[in-house]
């Protein structure tokens, strides 16, 4: 199955470089390029993209608002968003995850990692590496401007344990190993947690874990 990729970045050279890389993969094709967030939303609709590689800082409509529009559009329910970030200088990545992005990618990542990231997110998983994700969310989520939300009181003790491990960036197999469960049981727990918390994907579970205090800054 070919992954239909839309590239959104205001820098032409960056888009062209990513396009060449994506087109070199046998299981991907570039279906459009957008220079603004508004163009990204429009092309996501018209080109039937499976995944949008979205820069955050763009004119007209930034990547966060574009992500929010895509994630809230029922007609685009199957479209996933992989956000580009400069990491150390980009303070908007948590807002992007809240808006519905399925993960983030550092702009200077290696080519093979970009292709793997696209495959991961297109398959319905979230791109959450334990180190960068934890540090980034720890840095910004507990800032004074971060909105407070209620805790996940509806979760069982085991589900709270699973949620904490998701926030550390562990996949289902790793969660199973830590808790002495089967991978299928771990997957079932994650699915139930997402249903109870009305989370779009694992990326939003990380946000909930931090905002609710299940995981606290400095604990990872």
């Amino acid at each position: 199955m070919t992954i239909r990729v839309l590239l959104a970045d205001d820098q032409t050279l960056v888009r062209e470089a990513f396009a060449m890389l994506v087109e070199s993969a046998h299981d991907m094709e570039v279906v459009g390029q957008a220079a603004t967030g508004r163009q990204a939303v429009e092309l996501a609709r018209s080109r039937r993209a499976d995944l949008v590689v979205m820069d955050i800082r763009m004119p007209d409509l930034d990547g966060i608002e574009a992500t929010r529009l895509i994630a809230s559009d029922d007609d685009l329910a199957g479209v996933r968003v992989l956000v580009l970030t400069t990491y150390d200088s980009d303070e908007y990545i948590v807002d992007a995850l809240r808006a519905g992005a399925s993960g983030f990618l550092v702009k200077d990542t290696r080519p093979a990692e970009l292709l793997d990231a696209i495959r991961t997110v297109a398959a319905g998983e979230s791109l959450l590496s334990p180190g960068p994700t934890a540090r980034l969310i720890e840095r910004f989520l507990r800032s004074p401007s971060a909105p407070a939300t209620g805790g996940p009181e509806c979760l069982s003790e085991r589900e709270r344990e699973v949620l904490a491990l998701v926030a550390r960036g562990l996949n289902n197999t790793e969660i199973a190993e830590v808790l002495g469960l089967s991978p299928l049981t771990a997957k079932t727990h994650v699915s139930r947690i997402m249903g109870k918390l009305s989370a779009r994907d694992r990326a939003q579970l990380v946000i909930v874990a931090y905002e609710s205090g299940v995981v606290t800054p400095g604990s990872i």
Side-chain angles (χ1 to χ4, degrees):
M1 182 176 176
T2 302
I3 303 171
R4 297 172 59 83
V5 180
L6 172 64
L7 302 172
D9 195 296
D10 63 337
Q11 298 182 43
T12 303
L13 289 178
V14 172
R15 291 200 314 272
E16 292 295 339
F18 283 168
M20 291 178 61
L21 176 63
V22 171
E23 289 287 358
S24 72
H26 71 280
D27 56 345
M28 302 178 195
E29 66 173 320
V30 176
V31 297
Q33 296 186 36
T36 71
R38 199 169 303 280
Q39 287 180 0
V41 176
E42 294 171 353
L43 290 176
R45 294 190 180 115
S46 63
R47 302 293 175 86
R48 296 184 296 114
D50 298 315
L51 179 141
V52 181
V53 179
M54 182 85 74
D55 188 21
I56 287 183
R57 300 177 183 180
M58 291 186 291
D60 186 22
L61 188 72
D62 66 29
I64 294 174
E65 289 305 315
T67 297
R68 183 173 290 112
L69 289 175
I70 290 173
S72 62
D73 190 331
D74 291 339
D75 292 335
L76 299 176
V79 179
R80 314 283 289 182
V81 177
L82 177 61
V83 168
L84 292 176
T85 174
T86 52
Y87 179 45
D88 283 332
S89 62
D90 202 334
E91 301 183 6
Y92 306 109
I93 189 64
V94 171
D95 290 334
L97 293 176
R98 285 196 183 105
S102 295
F104 70 90
L105 189 69
V106 180
K107 272 194 172 182
D108 62 356
T109 190
R110 293 180 297 177
E113 292 176 342
L114 170 60
L115 297 180
D116 286 342
I118 290 173
R119 294 186 182 103
T120 297
V121 173
E125 296 295 330
S126 295
L127 190 69
L128 300 173
S129 57
T133 300
R135 288 195 299 270
L136 195 61
I137 292 177
E138 179 176 324
R139 182 177 173 187
F140 299 118
L141 189 58
R142 287 300 185 178
S143 65
S145 60
T149 61
E153 294 85 359
C154 60
L155 301 182
S156 66
E157 185 61 33
R158 173 63 82 188
E159 288 169 340
R160 289 173 66 88
E161 291 176 343
V162 172
L163 177 60
L165 294 176
V166 170
R168 287 172 51 190
L170 274 64
N171 60 34
N172 293 338
T173 300
E174 293 166 336
I175 291 172
E177 292 176 353
V178 171
L179 298 180
L181 307 172
S182 71
L184 180 59
T185 299
K187 180 179 180 180
T188 299
H189 278 306
V190 172
S191 297
R192 287 177 178 170
I193 294 168
M194 290 175 63
K196 287 184 177 182
L197 300 180
S198 299
R200 177 186 173 94
D201 52 29
R202 297 170 82 102
Q204 291 196 343
L205 288 184
V206 174
I207 297 296
V208 172
Y210 275 88
E211 289 186 327
S212 64
V214 170
V215 174
T216 57
S219 64
I220 294 180

